[in-house]
Amino acid sequence: MKLALGPVLYYWPREQLQQFYAAMAQAPLDIVYLGETVCSRRHSFRLPDWLETAARLRDAGKEVVLSTQVLIESESDLKTLRNIAGNGEFMVEANEMGAVRLMSGTEGFVAGTHLNVYNSQTLKQLAALGARRWVAPVEASMDMLQTICAAQPQGMQTEVFVWGRMPLAYSARCFTARAHNLPKDDCQFRCMDYPDGLDMSTRDDQAFLVLNGIQTQSSRVCNLISELDAMRSLGVDVLRISPQSRNTGEIVAVIREAVEGGITPVAAAARLDRLGEMESCNGYWHDRPGMDQTQRAGLP
Amino acid sequence: MLQKKMELVCPAGSLVALKAAVDHGADCVYIGFRDGTNARNFGGLNFDLASAREGVRYARSAGARVLLALNTYPRDGGWQTACNAVDAAADLGVSAIILADVGLLEYAATRHETMRRHLSVQGSATNYEAIRFYHEQYGISRAVLPRVLSLEQVAHLRANVPVEIEVFGFGSLCVMVEGRCALSSYVTGESPNTAGVCSPARAVRWEKTPLGMESRLNGVLIDRYADDENAGYPTLCKGRFKVDDETYYAIEEPTSLNTLELLPELARIGVSAIKIEGRQRSPAYVAQVTRVWRNAIDTCYRAPQQFVVQGAWMAELNKVAEGQQHTLGAYHRPWK
């Protein structure tokens, strides 16, 4: 089983990104996804910076994948997309169908989590277009994956989001700018003030969602490492970890240890609970509301 | 010079609503089957085969057309049901089927080549490359755009695709990209993608408390209302929440999208059809909104340069609007 680091979903300053990826080059990861997937206005790294980082990570032995933006609206978004699609060096994760169009017929691409693969027939279509790996939607349950994995096209790899705040929604509107009474076109890049997003709670003070520019995330951290054995038996190939500003290195190390059998999945899950700095959840995996935390497999 | 007159596409959650839409001037009426195969899967709503057949007959006799929305993303367990629904749509002779799932688009394109396929708003196609993809692969003739693009972006997209474009003109406003929102399933286990519902009624609880009337969705407090405030349905993105100790509509106010004033612009850029949201709404709503929009579109095409939104139209629409407030949404850039 391989470990993948998803793209950084937040807006971090240039130095922080550089330091983060220098550290990740040494982390026990197999695959690193790079690129700005949330907002085209963010520019602490531009494509040449991502490509330079990609080359460094590749030299450190990582498989590098360039992720495309999820919500593509303007011609300049499309220009960036075309540059990524035609980079000629690194695999691409297509996060909407425009990217799929540009990548189909190439040597292969990753079908991102937002392509809405909910059944085997859709996966078959993407495989025929050249997808070599697919990332399940965050809403996917074990039952849903079971039938898809059982009918998986030849050579297709399955990747599951096992750790991090889940990306739940995208909008035309920037909620971080809105929180500061700023228009999106003059957002003053306020999302840089929130390295793990801006917390939104209910009126009775329960942490609920996280605002991250035009993206909305779960406040609770998806923690599925306790389901490692089930994932293995389904044939899941890759586990995705979503970066956060603190403890990502430790989180990767714990998951690696669990995958290699150094600690039990349940013990790993408990250690991750502490590193997440937020409540955990695993509801989607059990076909329940995503925010639910049901009892973990392996616990009495 | 205006191109072919844009179609008015109206919602119907029942045969009575369908007839109301047809009687008041809808060019097309879109409906769904009574199960999880469409994105308005609410109790007591939608069509069985007999009522759908009668709906198609009624519409046809009045020169109108019926479109069938089959726009959720089935899992393998629901695959056969979804395919049966596609077959049933073909058998009914609907004018087009509205799909989002790539597997189902392929199924429909292969088995029922001559039945028109529209890409649902749930397909999340927000740029011309994505729409070209669906056109090239699955032969769609029309794409319904998510409510996230500005007017200029719609125009640019329109100029670069070989298919018709349909946009939302009126109704509840989804602030998220349709097809890319799992907020409802995060809280309730059911989302538009998976179950055809958002913030389902079965998960709603109202409770009178000393702090005010509270609306909860599966236990999560969506809003709390003082005695002098109108309580709205707890659609979870339209509640009031706390950010940095401030309580406000952190995602979106409960407003309606209303693009009446943009009609001449939408016509000029070549939008083929304008969609009214609200299959979950009453026949009276459908009648009222259809009548106003029919009148507005006809007025606009008679003399686009002189088009002004009439006060009476707005008054009519205000009566049925969510939250009694209107917005141009993303069409108007500053809204973003």
Side-chain angles (χ1 to χ4, degrees):
Chain A
M1 237 175 198
K2 291 182 173 176
L3 291 198
L5 185 72
V8 170
L9 300 176
Y10 309 106
Y11 192 29
W12 294 350
R14 185 177 174 80
E15 303 69 40
Q16 188 179 350
L17 282 174
Q18 285 166 336
Q19 285 162 14
F20 178 76
Y21 284 114
M24 289 302 112
Q26 309 306 317
L29 288 161
D30 303 291
I31 305 164
V32 181
Y33 290 84
L34 292 178
E36 176 54 53
T37 60
V38 176
C39 179
S40 58
R41 289 176 56 78
R42 298 174 177 177
H43 58 254
S44 57
F45 261 29
R46 296 185 191 272
L47 188 56
D49 304 302
W50 289 118
L51 290 172
E52 199 186 308
T53 307
R56 278 210 201 99
L57 286 161
R58 183 193 50 203
D59 294 346
K62 314 297 184 206
E63 176 193 327
V64 176
V65 183
L66 302 178
S67 295
T68 66
Q69 198 170 296
V70 176
L71 174 56
I72 292 195
E73 298 171 285
S74 67
E75 195 60 48
S76 86
D77 292 345
L78 283 172
K79 190 174 159 218
T80 308
L81 175 64
R82 289 189 188 104
N83 288 337
I84 294 170
N87 84 87
E89 224 180 329
F90 299 101
M91 181 101 130
V92 170
E93 179 187 43
N95 280 321
E96 48 75 58
M97 290 303 182
V100 171
R101 178 177 190 264
L102 297 181
M103 296 312 296
S104 50
T106 63
E107 280 173 43
F109 63 94
V110 178
T113 184
H114 299 293
L115 295 189
N116 287 345
V117 178
Y118 287 91
N119 58 61
S120 303
Q121 297 304 315
T122 295
L123 187 58
K124 216 165 109 186
Q125 286 295 305
L126 290 168
L129 293 163
R132 297 285 170 263
R133 184 186 298 149
W134 73 291
V135 188
V138 293
E139 288 180 303
S141 67
M142 180 167 69
D143 286 351
M144 178 188 139
L145 283 179
Q146 200 148 28
T147 56
I148 298 181
C149 288
Q152 192 156 285
Q154 191 78 36
M156 178 66 75
Q157 295 181 358
T158 298
E159 178 168 334
V160 174
F161 189 102
V162 297
W163 202 88
R165 289 192 187 84
M166 292 179 283
L168 294 176
Y170 293 81
S171 176
R173 177 178 271 185
C174 176
F175 304 115
T176 308
R178 180 173 169 83
H180 289 277
N181 285 314
L182 292 167
K184 183 176 160 194
D185 290 344
D186 179 29
C187 66
Q188 299 173 23
F189 304 103
R190 296 307 285 263
C191 54
M192 205 175 255
D193 299 339
Y194 308 99
D196 294 291
L198 174 56
D199 294 326
M200 181 185 111
S201 57
T202 59
R203 297 180 76 172
D204 54 357
D205 297 309
Q206 303 296 307
F208 182 27
L209 298 170
V210 168
L211 306 176
N212 175 38
I214 65 153
Q215 184 190 60
T216 307
Q217 302 181 334
S218 63
S219 174
R220 290 185 186 165
V221 173
C222 168
N223 179 351
L224 291 184
I225 197 62
S226 61
E227 307 298 329
L228 187 58
D229 293 338
M231 287 191 200
R232 220 174 236 138
S233 68
L234 291 178
V236 171
D237 303 279
V238 181
L239 306 181
R240 175 174 293 208
I241 299 154
S242 193
Q244 61 179 40
S245 71
R246 286 187 300 269
N247 306 337
T248 302
E250 289 91 324
I251 289 156
V252 170
V254 170
I255 294 177
R256 171 59 72 187
E257 209 182 332
V259 167
E260 289 179 353
I263 48 169
T264 66
V266 173
R271 276 166 71 180
L272 291 181
D273 284 343
R274 289 191 292 277
L275 292 167
E277 302 180 342
M278 262 295 168
E279 267 184 83
S280 297
C281 63
N282 63 5
Y284 281 132
W285 183 255
H286 299 284
D287 261 322
R288 296 185 50 81
M291 66 181 184
D292 282 6
Q293 174 68 52
T294 68
Q295 195 174 41
R296 287 179 173 141
L299 279 178
Chain B
M1 185 60 202
L2 294 185
Q3 305 171 30
K4 187 169 168 276
K5 192 165 178 176
M6 70 169 77
E7 290 175 1
L8 177 59
V9 182
C10 295
S14 67
L15 193 54
V16 184
L18 180 147
K19 290 178 176 175
V22 170
D23 294 349
H24 289 88
D27 297 302
C28 302
V29 185
Y30 64 106
I31 67 173
F33 286 132
R34 192 170 289 163
D35 54 29
T37 59
N38 75 91
R40 286 289 186 283
N41 175 27
F42 297 154
L45 209 63
N46 296 322
F47 289 71
D48 59 18
L49 274 182
S51 54
R53 187 161 281 125
E54 169 58 15
V56 171
R57 189 204 61 76
Y58 189 88
R60 202 174 277 159
S61 69
R65 281 166 291 144
V66 171
L67 315 177
L68 189 101
L70 211 162
N71 53 358
T72 51
Y73 291 88
R75 296 184 180 200
D76 284 339
W79 180 254
Q80 204 47 56
T81 307
C83 290
N84 293 346
V86 175
D87 296 342
D91 182 54
L92 284 168
V94 297
S95 297
I97 186 163
I98 307 169
L99 296 166
D101 183 80
V102 158
L104 278 183
L105 276 161
E106 195 268 340
Y107 178 85
T110 312
R111 300 296 180 93
H112 306 287
E113 208 189 331
T114 56
M115 175 166 57
R116 267 172 68 100
R117 292 169 293 285
H118 292 182
L119 179 67
S120 167
V121 68
Q122 296 294 123
S124 320
T126 56
N127 62 78
Y128 62 79
E129 292 287 1
I131 290 170
R132 286 176 185 173
F133 168 82
Y134 288 103
H135 174 67
E136 289 162 2
Q137 298 295 328
Y138 311 111
I140 61 159
S141 347
R142 178 181 294 184
V144 187
L145 299 185
R147 284 161 271 193
V148 296
L149 300 176
S150 66
L151 206 54
E152 299 88 88
Q153 286 169 339
V154 175
H156 183 64
L157 182 149
R158 173 66 196 92
N160 283 282
V161 293
V163 301
E164 298 167 0
I165 290 300
E166 178 172 313
V167 300
F168 276 88
F170 183 83
S172 289
L173 180 68
C174 245
V175 68
M176 302 300 181
V177 185
E178 293 91 338
R180 299 236 193 288
C181 180
L183 291 177
S184 178
S185 65
Y186 179 65
V187 175
T188 72
E190 295 183 313
S191 69
N193 281 4
T194 58
V197 290
C198 174
S199 310
R202 61 155 187 83
V204 173
R205 293 285 176 278
W206 292 95
E207 202 188 341
K208 190 114 181 103
T209 75
L211 294 168
M213 180 64 94
E214 293 187 344
S215 59
R216 287 179 187 269
L217 200 61
N218 193 20
V220 174
L221 183 60
I222 302 301
D223 212 338
R224 179 188 286 150
Y225 300 93
D227 289 344
D228 58 345
E229 286 180 316
N230 281 327
Y233 186 86
T235 303
L236 72 85
C237 60
K238 294 178 181 175
R240 279 175 289 193
F241 300 101
K242 272 190 191 174
V243 179
D244 281 340
D245 282 329
E246 221 185 296
T247 301
Y248 64 107
Y249 293 105
I251 298 174
E252 169 65 331
E253 289 90 356
T255 53
S256 277
L257 177 72
N258 185 357
T259 63
L260 264 189
E261 65 180 88
L262 302 180
L263 260 180
E265 270 299 285
L266 293 169
R268 190 187 56 78
I269 64 183
V271 165
S272 300
I274 196 137
K275 183 166 218 144
I276 307 299
E277 188 274 346
R279 280 189 286 142
Q280 75 284 15
R281 304 289 301 262
S282 69
Y285 163 93
V286 172
Q288 204 156 358
V289 177
T290 303
R291 187 170 52 230
V292 171
W293 277 83
R294 174 78 279 152
N295 197 342
I297 291 173
D298 292 347
T299 306
C300 173
Y301 276 81
R302 270 196 301 272
Q305 313 297 336
Q306 280 92 55
F307 181 81
V308 281
V309 175
Q310 295 176 15
W313 298 342
M314 290 306 265
E316 281 276 288
L317 294 179
N318 280 337
K319 282 189 224 157
V320 295
E322 183 188 4
Q324 276 86 49
Q325 275 186 68
H326 284 157
T327 171
L328 291 173
Y331 297 116
H332 178 56
R333 244 198 115 76
W335 174 87
K336 297 189 179 184

